[in-house]
């Protein structure tokens, strides 16, 4: 059946398109944008005042299945993704068992095919058991479907191991996603080291815990010709290092999370464990550099680092609480804050959620090109809302943005032309 979405502001960053236009899709594929194919459409969706964009792409999601389904599973995690406008997500390897064998990769992809509402790609472990000692079987994992390699959650502390992983990344032509946090510098630090950590009596971790490892990994990418993707950049100096590496022509890409774009370490003064993540929230100068880096393209994309945790893991004293926050359902309004603050155009902000991440990993996604799958998101840029524990589709509630006034929400999400989310309606499973 053909569907016409009429009169939306169509934002297709890959094509540089930002105009009021009609879009038609049929049998799961985009047929026409801005042209004349609308005449025969069977179903018409009036979308005046709304924005229509390619479905978002998240390079950094923790789906927790297999093994930690009390936090999240593929069904609930992809439900949250669809509610946030994401149609393609890449899930991290720190499951139980760890995704370090082709059998686990294949299991995750099979389960995603059965239970997933959106497209799921698997990121496999870079080292066996995420122990940072012995490389995983990267060729076999790539052949099983892994789109990238990462020990995320754990930095690879041994530079010799990281060198070999990057050498192999070149051979298998997949990026290595680096969680840059030197554990010796981090020591017992649970928040950013600075005035606020001192005031709160919490042990701090300096920005250098990140920047030292970003510098190391860039040098190793230079040595090996490997593909390095720096996860969740949090420090101003990291942005400079990545900018220099890109200027030098190295194969380096990077992501920033919504919470690092929106919050600073000042918020830890409330001892709210939903503001505890790794790397930690840093200073307003760091935040400013991240926004600038995202705006000028040094940082290729916004990635959520969606990290669900159960109440009993967060509702404890600050030092004992788990690291991480959920993020799939609040990424869009945080990106739109940057548009309203005139830090980025709407087209650029959506680029960092669509074709930007797709390009970083080499994924076929994030475009409205006729013939592409109808992975679409319809956005109400004006809708005001407030995330609350009851309003989230994720199984977990550990959002850093509970009770923050948001503007902008998802109206509908389609994957392959199938409705994966409709605001205010029960979406067919
Ligand atoms: Zn990480």
């Amino acid at each position: 059946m053909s569907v016409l979405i009429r009169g939306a502001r169509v934002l297709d960053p890959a094509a540089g398109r930002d105009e009021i236009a009609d879009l038609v899709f049929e049998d799961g594929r985009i047929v026409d944008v801005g042209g004349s194919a609308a005449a025969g459409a069977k179903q018409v969706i009036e979308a005046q005042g709304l924005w229509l964009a390619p479905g978002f792409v998240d390079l950094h999601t923790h789906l927790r299945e297999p093994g930690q389904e009390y936090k999240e599973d593929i069904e609930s995690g992809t439900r949250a993704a669809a509610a946030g406008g994401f149609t393609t997500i890449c899930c991290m390897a720190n499951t139980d068992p760890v995704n370090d064998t082709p059998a686990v990769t294949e299991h995750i992809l099979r389960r995603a095919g059965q239970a997933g509402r959106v497209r799921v790609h698997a990121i496999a472990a870079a080292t066996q058991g995420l122990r940072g000692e012995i490389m995983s079987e990267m060729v076999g994992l790539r052949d099983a479907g892994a789109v990238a390699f990462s020990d995320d959650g754990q930095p690879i502390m041994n530079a010799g191991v990281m060198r070999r992983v990057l050498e192999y990344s070149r051979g298998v032509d997949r990026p290595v996603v680096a969680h840059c946090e030197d554990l010796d510098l981090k020591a017992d630090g649970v928040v950013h080291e600075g005035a606020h950590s001192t005031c709160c009596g919490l042990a701090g971790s300096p920005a250098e815990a990140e920047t030292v490892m970003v510098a190391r990994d860039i040098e190793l990418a230079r040595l090996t010709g490997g593909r390095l993707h720096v996860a969740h950049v949090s420090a101003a100096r990291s942005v400079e290092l990545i900018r220099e590496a890109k200027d030098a022509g190295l194969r380096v890409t990077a992501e920033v999370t919504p919470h690092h774009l929106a919050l600073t370490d000042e918020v830890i003064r409330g001892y709210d464990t939903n503001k505890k993540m790794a790397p930690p929230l840093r200073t307003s100068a760091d935040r400013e550099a991240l926004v600038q880096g995202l705006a000028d393209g040094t940082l290729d994309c916004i990635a959520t680092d969606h990290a669900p945790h159960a109440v009993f893991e967060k509702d404890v004293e600050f030092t004992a609480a788990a690291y991480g926050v959920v993020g799939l359902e609040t990424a869009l309004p945080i990106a739109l804050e940057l548009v309203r603050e005139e830090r980025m155009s709407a087209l650029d902000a959506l680029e960092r959620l669509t074709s930007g991440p797709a390009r970083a990993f080499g994924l076929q996604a994030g475009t409205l090109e006729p013939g592409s799958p109808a992975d679409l998101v319809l956005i109400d840029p004006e809708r005001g809302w407030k995330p609350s524990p009851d309003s989230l589709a994720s199984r977990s509630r550990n959002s850093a943005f509970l009770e923050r006034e948001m503007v902008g929400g998802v109206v509908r999400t389609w994957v392959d032309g199938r409705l994966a989310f409709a605001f205010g309606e029960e979406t067919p499973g």
Side-chain angles (χ1 to χ4, degrees):
M1 186 177 81
S2 65
V3 177
L4 163 65
I5 303 173
R6 183 149 64 195
R9 177 180 174 187
V10 174
L11 291 136
D12 182 10
R17 179 195 292 268
D18 179 358
E19 62 184 3
I20 306 293
D22 299 339
L23 180 144
V24 179
F25 65 84
E26 185 169 6
D27 299 332
R29 302 221 160 240
I30 295 169
V31 175
D32 183 56
V33 188
S36 54
K42 298 281 188 299
Q43 187 191 345
V44 178
I45 296 165
E46 298 295 348
Q48 287 81 4
L50 304 178
W51 296 3
L52 182 61
F56 305 151
V57 178
D58 189 23
L59 301 185
H60 196 142
T61 311
H62 295 275
L63 283 177
R64 306 301 192 200
E65 183 180 350
Q68 296 182 310
E69 288 85 352
Y70 67 94
K71 298 175 195 254
E72 193 81 285
D73 62 21
I74 287 169
E75 196 282 326
S76 66
T78 58
R79 184 185 291 266
F86 288 89
T87 55
T88 297
I89 61 176
C90 303
C91 62
M92 279 298 175
N94 60 341
T95 47
D96 183 14
V98 169
N99 180 13
D100 61 359
T101 63
V104 178
T105 304
E106 286 161 5
H107 170 78
I108 290 168
L109 297 178
R110 191 166 52 243
R111 279 283 300 142
Q114 294 161 352
R117 284 173 177 255
V118 305
R119 292 176 206 282
V120 175
H121 293 296
I123 298 171
T127 72
Q128 294 177 22
L130 309 178
R131 286 186 294 274
E133 293 165 0
I134 301 167
M135 270 177 50
S136 61
E137 300 283 351
M138 288 170 68
V139 174
L141 288 160
R142 190 254 337 248
D143 292 346
V147 294
F149 293 89
S150 184
D151 282 4
D152 184 63
Q154 293 297 325
I156 297 177
M157 285 293 287
N158 184 317
V161 172
M162 188 60 170
R163 173 190 180 169
R164 281 194 294 283
V165 169
L166 281 165
E167 278 168 354
Y168 267 75
S169 82
R170 187 176 166 181
V172 299
D173 197 25
R174 295 285 185 277
V176 178
V177 182
H179 175 122
C180 291
E181 204 175 26
D182 184 294
L183 296 177
D184 297 312
L185 284 171
K186 175 183 170 151
D188 297 327
V190 290
V191 293
H192 175 66
E193 182 179 292
H196 297 301
S197 65
T198 304
C199 277
C200 292
L202 293 169
S205 173
E208 287 73 11
E210 172 173 293
T211 61
V212 161
M213 197 172 270
V214 171
R216 181 201 78 172
D217 288 352
I218 286 171
E219 290 307 305
L220 294 174
R222 191 192 309 274
L223 172 66
T224 59
R227 285 176 66 179
L228 173 68
H229 178 81
V230 183
H232 42 51
V233 175
S234 70
R237 179 65 188 140
S238 302
V239 180
E240 284 179 31
L241 290 164
I242 292 161
R243 192 175 286 126
E244 289 164 19
K246 287 187 160 188
D247 287 345
L250 303 184
R251 301 172 82 192
V252 175
T253 54
E255 69 189 34
V256 58
T257 71
H259 42 275
H260 288 104
L261 289 169
L263 302 171
T264 67
D265 63 338
E266 196 180 352
V267 301
I268 63 167
R269 282 170 170 264
Y271 296 93
D272 174 5
T273 59
N274 286 337
K275 308 294 191 308
K276 180 180 177 184
M277 57 282 284
L281 300 171
R282 299 201 191 272
T283 67
S284 54
D286 290 304
R287 176 190 173 259
E288 173 59 32
L290 297 173
V291 172
Q292 181 58 43
L294 186 71
D296 70 21
T298 301
L299 305 176
D300 298 79
C301 59
I302 297 171
T304 68
D305 196 2
H306 178 83
H309 291 294
V311 170
F312 72 85
E313 295 163 313
K314 279 292 197 181
D315 198 9
V316 295
E317 67 176 295
F318 199 93
T319 48
Y323 288 98
V325 291
V326 293
L328 287 166
E329 296 171 74
T330 47
L332 169 68
I334 296 300
L336 293 180
E337 287 183 9
L338 301 177
V339 177
R340 277 198 309 283
E341 291 165 12
E342 299 188 344
R343 301 304 305 269
M344 306 179 71
S345 68
L347 200 61
D348 280 348
L350 291 173
E351 200 271 346
R352 307 300 186 263
L353 286 164
T354 58
S355 47
R359 190 168 358 91
F361 273 19
L363 305 175
Q364 299 295 319
T367 171
L368 299 181
E369 179 76 20
S372 328
D375 292 1
L376 304 167
V377 58
L378 193 61
I379 297 162
D380 180 347
E382 305 295 339
R383 186 168 83 224
W385 64 289
K386 211 187 277 184
S388 73
D390 296 335
S391 73
L392 297 174
S394 170
R395 180 157 300 151
S396 291
R397 302 284 175 255
N398 54 310
S399 169
F401 298 118
L402 294 177
E403 308 306 324
R404 185 185 180 102
E405 299 285 349
M406 299 284 192
V407 179
V410 173
V411 179
R412 289 191 187 191
T413 306
W414 291 268
V415 178
D416 265 336
R418 280 177 295 103
L419 199 58
F421 172 78
F423 177 69
E425 295 170 30
E426 273 297 310
T427 312

